[in-house]
Amino acid sequence: MSEPILPRIRPEIAALPPYRQGKQASADAFKLSSNENPFDPLPQVQAALERATPMNRYPDATAGALRARLAERYGVQPDAVHVASGSVAILYQFVQAAASVGDEVVYAWRSFEAYPGIPLIAGATGIPVPLAEGGRHDLDAMAAAITDRTRVVLVCTPNNPTGPIVTSAEFAAFLDAVPRDVLVLLDEAYAEFVTAPDAVDGLAERVFETHPNVVVLRTFSKAYGLAGLRVGYAIGDPRVLDAARSTAVPLSVTAAAEVAAIASLDAEDELRVRVAELVARRTTLAEGLRAQGWAVPDAQGNFVWLPTGDETTAAADAFAEAGIVVRAFAGDGIRISVGEEESLPRILDAAAALRH
């Protein structure tokens, strides 16, 4: 029997591997592969979800209540806030709005693993710029990579998966070098975990006001522990945000996600206590690994990075055998999310065994 004829797919899409989620863990292993928050939802957040809009009704397509709450929090108008099903959805929306065939999107590499596919899906060309020593963005090289074809630049701080931040001074100098008609997406998905005093904070510094070509992205998936509900937001010039709103999939933010996000903002003081605990665990883990001789870069997210290079696959297998599921990036390194307190000794034991 002959093979059925299938629809034609763009060759570059056919060759693009689907997004690979962090490997799931067995009951006796710690799943530290997806940068999730290990804490259960707060009771008041859970209670709010139980009161959420019935599932037989469509949600508010504008997520108006959440936008109003975020606008009040950050001192902007509601139309300066855009809400979507995770900050990664906003990345796709903006790149599709700004870049097409013949255009370019500049980003650091290695960085968030979705970055290479985002311009490709839009028909544009991705321009990866190698990280500097220590897993940091090389903003000078990124600025030099901008051409008259560049439409978007992606800046991830803290950088996922390596961990270091971009400083305020570095970002300010970078913006001075970027043409004002090039869109800069400041991806701050892990901002709540940052302790470095010189780190850029796109919202606190209101860079979107002095530079309307900058949009700041945040998420409720990490520090707020709502990864399973998918809700993120962007703040910027309303005229720029309209581009993302135009390319967004309608009704993609569920009523449950909006309700949980608002309840999480109401419970922020309690959530900040949890974040502080994760930061303390991160410090313990990073210092313990460095004491073993690992070259762990500055860790400012809710994860640490081991530059295992050619030994990455074997190292990930060794962690798995020890009951630690990590995220392996073949040829580069391993990202270990900060999880349960009980996972720390097991991680350090497994890492120490790899040093012998």
Side-chain angles (χ1 to χ4, degrees):
M1 179 181 290
S2 61
E3 291 291 326
I5 298 175
L6 299 177
R8 296 179 182 179
I9 303 296
R10 288 165 49 197
E12 62 272 28
I13 299 298
L16 178 67
Y19 177 79
R20 182 171 59 86
Q21 186 180 15
K23 185 179 177 182
Q24 301 301 306
S26 60
D28 60 344
F30 291 101
K31 181 177 182 286
L32 305 177
S33 55
S34 296
N35 289 348
E36 296 157 327
N37 192 315
F39 292 105
D40 292 332
L42 289 171
Q44 56 267 52
V45 176
Q46 189 66 48
L49 278 171
E50 293 171 359
R51 299 191 301 268
T53 303
M55 289 183 287
N56 62 315
R57 301 296 183 186
Y58 284 117
D60 174 4
T62 69
L66 178 56
R67 288 173 58 220
R69 181 62 185 277
L70 290 168
E72 179 183 10
R73 172 191 173 99
Y74 293 114
V76 298
Q77 295 299 312
D79 61 356
V81 182
H82 173 54
V83 174
S85 54
S87 55
V88 66
I90 300 174
L91 290 167
Y92 276 94
Q93 291 163 8
F94 272 117
V95 171
Q96 287 180 328
S100 186
V101 177
D103 298 330
E104 296 176 348
V105 176
V106 174
Y107 55 88
W109 194 251
R110 176 172 293 272
S111 192
F112 180 34
E113 62 192 287
Y115 286 174
I118 293 174
L120 190 150
I121 290 171
T125 300
I127 306 296
V129 177
L131 294 172
E133 187 174 354
R136 305 185 75 252
H137 274 52
D138 188 340
L139 291 180
D140 288 341
M142 292 177 68
I146 294 173
T147 71
D148 59 1
R149 294 184 298 277
T150 304
R151 297 294 177 267
V152 185
V153 180
L154 309 178
V155 178
C156 183
T157 176
N159 187 50
N160 174 23
T162 58
I165 52 95
V166 170
T167 69
S168 292
E170 290 170 338
F171 192 64
F174 176 68
L175 290 181
D176 286 343
V178 175
R180 291 301 180 102
D181 61 352
V182 171
L183 177 62
V184 178
L185 299 179
L186 184 60
D187 187 353
E188 296 185 330
Y190 301 91
E192 292 83 2
F193 298 100
V194 172
T195 56
D198 58 344
V200 65
D201 183 328
L203 298 183
E205 298 172 33
R206 307 181 76 83
V207 294
F208 50 88
E209 292 182 343
T210 55
H211 294 79
N213 61 320
V214 177
V215 175
V216 183
L217 279 59
R218 296 281 180 93
T219 183
F220 285 93
S221 295
K222 310 303 181 185
Y224 291 91
L226 301 183
L229 290 175
R230 308 301 304 131
V231 57
Y233 60 97
I235 294 183
D237 188 297
R239 296 164 297 180
V240 179
L241 296 188
D242 281 344
R245 290 189 264 261
S246 296
T247 57
V249 175
L251 302 163
S252 60
V253 178
T254 66
E258 183 178 15
V259 165
I262 293 172
S264 296
L265 291 171
D266 289 339
E268 189 164 25
D269 288 345
E270 294 167 80
L271 288 167
R272 291 286 183 178
V273 172
R274 292 180 167 192
V275 169
E277 174 60 29
L278 291 175
V279 168
R281 294 178 194 175
R282 179 188 75 194
T283 300
T284 298
L285 183 56
E287 290 179 351
L289 291 167
R290 291 181 187 125
Q292 295 175 2
W294 292 98
V296 177
D298 185 27
Q300 292 289 322
N302 66 336
F303 52 87
V304 297
W305 174 254
L306 296 184
T308 46
D310 293 339
E311 303 301 318
T312 293
T313 301
D317 290 343
F319 276 109
E321 290 176 6
I324 300 293
V325 179
V326 299
R327 191 61 167 266
F329 299 90
D332 282 344
I334 288 171
R335 189 191 67 197
I336 306 174
S337 303
V338 177
E340 295 81 357
E341 179 76 27
E342 297 79 13
S343 70
L344 301 183
R346 194 183 296 188
I347 296 169
L348 292 173
D349 287 345
L354 289 169
R355 302 295 296 176
H356 298 303

